Amino acid sequence: VGMNGEANLDFLNIPLTIPKMTLPYILLTTPQLKNFSIWEKTGLKKFLKTTKQSFDLSVKAQYKKNKDKYSIPIPLDVIYDIISQNIKTFNKHFEKGRDNALDFLTKSYNEAKIKFEKYKVEASLNELPRTFQIPGYTFPFLNIEVTPLMVEMLTFGYVIPKEISTPSLSIPGSDLSVPSYTFVLPPLELPALSVPRSLRKLSLPDFKALSTLDNILIPAMGNTTFDFSFKSTVITLNTNFGLYNQSDIVAHFLSSSSSIFEALQFKLEGTSSLTRKRGVKLATALSLNNRFVEGSHDSAFSLNRKNMEVSMTTTAKVQSPILRMNFKQELNGNTKSKPTVSSSIELKYDFNSSMLHSTAKGMVEHKLRLETLTSYFSIESLTKGNVKGSVLSQEYSGVIDSEASTYLN
C-alpha cells in the first residue's frame, strides 16, 4: 500500500489579534495579543522550514507459508464408536416418530376425503410429487462420509369445505319469515393431503467412516514480514518487523529515522529468539541510540529437566543540556546446586538548570542476594546513596547507608 500527499500551511502566516479579556471564575485578565504569527512565534518556521509540506507513505506486509506440519494425536476411533452407538439409538426414535406421523397424516387424509366426496369438490392432487434432496458430504478432520438424503414432500390441495346452516326466523304478529339456508364455506382448516407412499420407507442417511485417523495435521507457522516507510521534508522513518519460524522462532524489529534535526534521529533494534533444543531457551536483546538517550537490554531464560536459569541486564544513559544520568540493573538466578537470586541496581545523576536555579548530583546503589534450600533461608541486602544540590541558592545534601542480612535454619 502506498500513499502520498501535500499540505499547504500558508494560513499559519496570517497574523492573529486577540483582545484583552477576563477569564470567568478566576477573574484573570489576559493582555492583548496583536499581530501574532503562529508560524514564526511558535518555532514552526525553524522546524518545518517551509509551509509547503509533502509526504510519502508505504506499507508492505508479506506471509510465506511453511511446508512443515505438526501432527496432534487424537483417539478418533473412540469418537467413531460413540457416534455409531448414538446413531443406532437415534434411528430407533426416528422410526417411531415417523410411524406416528404417518398414522396422523393418513387419518387426516381419510377425514378430508370423506368431505370432498360429500360436496363433490375436485382437488388438484394430480400434481407430481415434490422432493427435497440433501447432497452427500464429508466431515473434515473426522473423515466421516454422509450419504445423500431425499424426502418426498406433502402435496397440498384445496382447503377442506365445511357446511354451515342458518336458523329459520319468523317475526310474531306478522307474516314475515326467513327460511333456513345452508352454505358450504372453505374455512382455514387442514388442506387435502396426499400422503407420500415413500414416507413409510423414510430413514436417516448412513454415516460411514472412510478411514480411521489417529492424528490431525496442523500447518506450521510461516514467515511474516512487515515494512513501513514514511518520508517528509522534516523526517524519514523506516520500520521493519519479521517473525521467522526456522530451526528456532526468531522475531526481529528495526526502526530508524533520519532528519535535519539531530534530536529526531534514532535507531531502535530488537531481537527475540526461542530455542527448543535440549529444553526451552528464550533470549531477548534491545538497543536504542539517540543524540540524548542511549539504552540496551539483554535477557535470557532457559529451562530444562535439571536446571532453570535467568539473567537480565539493562543499561541507560541520558545526556541532555540539563541532565546527565547513568543507570544499570542486573539480575541473575539459577537452580544448579541451590536456588540463588542476585540483583543489583546502580544510578548516577547530575542535574543542573540555570533557568530553574536548581542543581542536584548524587548516586544510589542497591544489592540483594537470596539463597534458599529446604534446610535454610538466607537473604542479604545493601543500600547506599548520597545527594547534594541546591534550590534557589539554598543548598541541601543527604546520605543513606543501610546493610541487612537474615538467616533462618
Side-chain angles (χ1 to χ4, degrees):
V1 178
M3 181 177 17
N4 57 69
E6 296 181 356
N8 189 351
L9 305 179
D10 286 338
F11 67 94
L12 296 178
N13 273 321
I14 301 175
L16 300 178
T17 299
I18 303 176
K20 182 173 62 174
M21 64 178 66
T22 301
L23 300 179
Y25 303 108
I26 60 176
L27 302 178
L28 178 63
T29 302
T30 61
Q32 182 184 12
L33 195 62
K34 188 176 182 180
N35 296 329
F36 180 79
S37 175
I38 299 178
W39 177 256
E40 295 182 357
K41 298 299 183 180
T42 59
L44 291 177
K45 182 178 181 179
K46 297 181 180 180
F47 184 74
L48 299 179
K49 300 298 182 181
T50 176
T51 57
K52 307 294 183 181
Q53 299 293 317
S54 62
F55 70 90
D56 292 320
L57 178 67
S58 176
V59 179
K60 181 181 178 182
Q62 184 178 6
Y63 177 80
K64 187 176 181 181
K65 185 178 179 182
N66 196 331
K67 296 181 180 180
D68 297 335
K69 295 182 178 180
Y70 296 107
S71 178
I72 301 179
I74 296 181
L76 294 180
D77 51 347
V78 178
I79 299 178
Y80 294 148
D81 295 338
I82 295 175
I83 293 177
S84 178
Q85 295 176 1
N86 292 336
I87 287 179
K88 292 179 180 179
T89 304
F90 184 73
N91 278 336
K92 294 180 181 179
H93 293 289
F94 176 80
E95 292 175 357
K96 183 179 179 181
R98 177 200 61 190
D99 295 339
N100 294 334
L102 181 61
D103 294 340
F104 173 76
L105 293 175
T106 303
K107 182 179 178 181
S108 300
Y109 172 74
N110 293 333
E111 293 177 355
K113 185 177 180 181
I114 293 174
K115 293 187 177 182
F116 268 75
E117 293 176 350
K118 179 179 179 180
Y119 299 107
K120 299 180 180 181
V121 177
E122 296 182 0
S124 57
L125 299 178
N126 54 357
E127 300 178 357
L128 294 176
R130 303 174 183 177
T131 58
F132 178 73
Q133 185 173 2
I134 302 176
Y137 52 93
T138 302
F139 285 104
F141 301 112
L142 298 179
N143 206 20
I144 296 179
E145 183 184 36
V146 182
T147 58
L149 174 65
M150 186 173 64
V151 181
E152 184 178 346
M153 306 298 294
L154 302 176
T155 305
F156 296 91
Y158 296 113
V159 294
I160 303 174
K162 186 174 183 180
E163 182 182 279
I164 298 178
S165 299
T166 61
S168 59
L169 180 63
S170 60
I171 300 176
S174 65
D175 296 332
L176 181 61
S177 63
V178 179
S180 175
Y181 292 95
T182 300
F183 300 94
V184 178
L185 301 176
L188 297 176
E189 295 184 5
L190 285 175
L193 302 175
S194 175
V195 182
R197 297 180 179 180
S198 61
L199 186 60
R200 181 71 68 178
K201 301 179 181 180
L202 180 64
S203 61
L204 292 176
D206 297 331
F207 292 81
K208 180 181 179 182
L210 299 180
S211 60
T212 303
L213 299 177
D214 296 330
N215 50 39
I216 294 178
L217 299 179
I218 299 179
M221 181 184 68
N223 298 332
T224 303
T225 57
F226 175 82
D227 299 319
F228 173 83
S229 176
F230 177 81
K231 297 180 181 180
S232 69
T233 55
V234 178
I235 187 173
T236 298
L237 177 64
N238 293 300
T239 301
N240 309 101
F241 172 78
L243 182 62
Y244 309 96
N245 183 17
Q246 300 170 351
S247 58
D248 301 331
I249 297 178
V250 180
H252 182 261
F253 174 82
L254 174 62
S255 181
S256 61
S257 69
S258 60
S259 174
I260 57 178
F261 300 100
E262 191 176 9
L264 298 180
Q265 298 179 7
F266 74 91
K267 181 180 179 182
L268 176 63
E269 185 174 7
T271 302
S272 182
S273 63
L274 177 63
T275 304
R276 293 162 292 181
K277 295 180 180 180
R278 296 187 298 273
V280 177
K281 182 178 180 180
L282 177 63
T284 303
L286 184 66
S287 64
L288 171 64
N289 292 314
N290 180 260
R291 169 66 177 83
F292 301 109
V293 180
E294 294 181 3
S296 65
H297 171 81
D298 294 284
S299 63
F301 170 80
S302 62
L303 176 65
N304 53 41
R305 296 181 179 179
K306 297 181 179 180
N307 181 38
M308 180 178 67
E309 187 172 357
V310 178
S311 64
M312 182 185 302
T313 302
T314 303
T315 60
K317 185 177 181 181
V318 178
Q319 291 182 338
S320 66
I322 64 173
L323 176 64
R324 295 180 179 272
M325 183 181 70
N326 289 321
F327 173 81
K328 185 176 181 180
Q329 181 264 338
E330 292 183 356
L331 175 65
N332 295 282
N334 62 76
T335 59
K336 291 181 179 179
S337 57
K338 54 185 176 180
T340 303
V341 177
S342 62
S343 171
S344 65
I345 298 176
E346 184 178 350
L347 174 64
K348 295 181 180 181
Y349 57 91
D350 186 355
F351 175 79
N352 191 335
S353 175
S354 59
M355 183 179 298
L356 300 176
H357 303 285
S358 300
T359 62
K361 184 177 181 180
M363 58 83 64
V364 176
E365 182 181 358
H366 175 73
K367 293 183 178 181
L368 176 68
R369 182 175 179 84
L370 173 66
E371 294 182 1
T372 179
L373 277 177
T374 56
S375 58
Y376 76 94
F377 174 83
S378 174
I379 183 172
E380 298 178 359
S381 175
L382 174 65
T383 303
K384 293 182 179 181
N386 62 76
V387 60
K388 184 178 181 180
S390 63
V391 177
L392 299 177
S393 301
Q394 297 294 327
E395 296 184 355
Y396 65 90
S397 63
V399 176
I400 182 174
D401 190 354
S402 173
E403 184 175 357
S405 60
T406 302
Y407 181 84
L408 296 177
N409 190 350

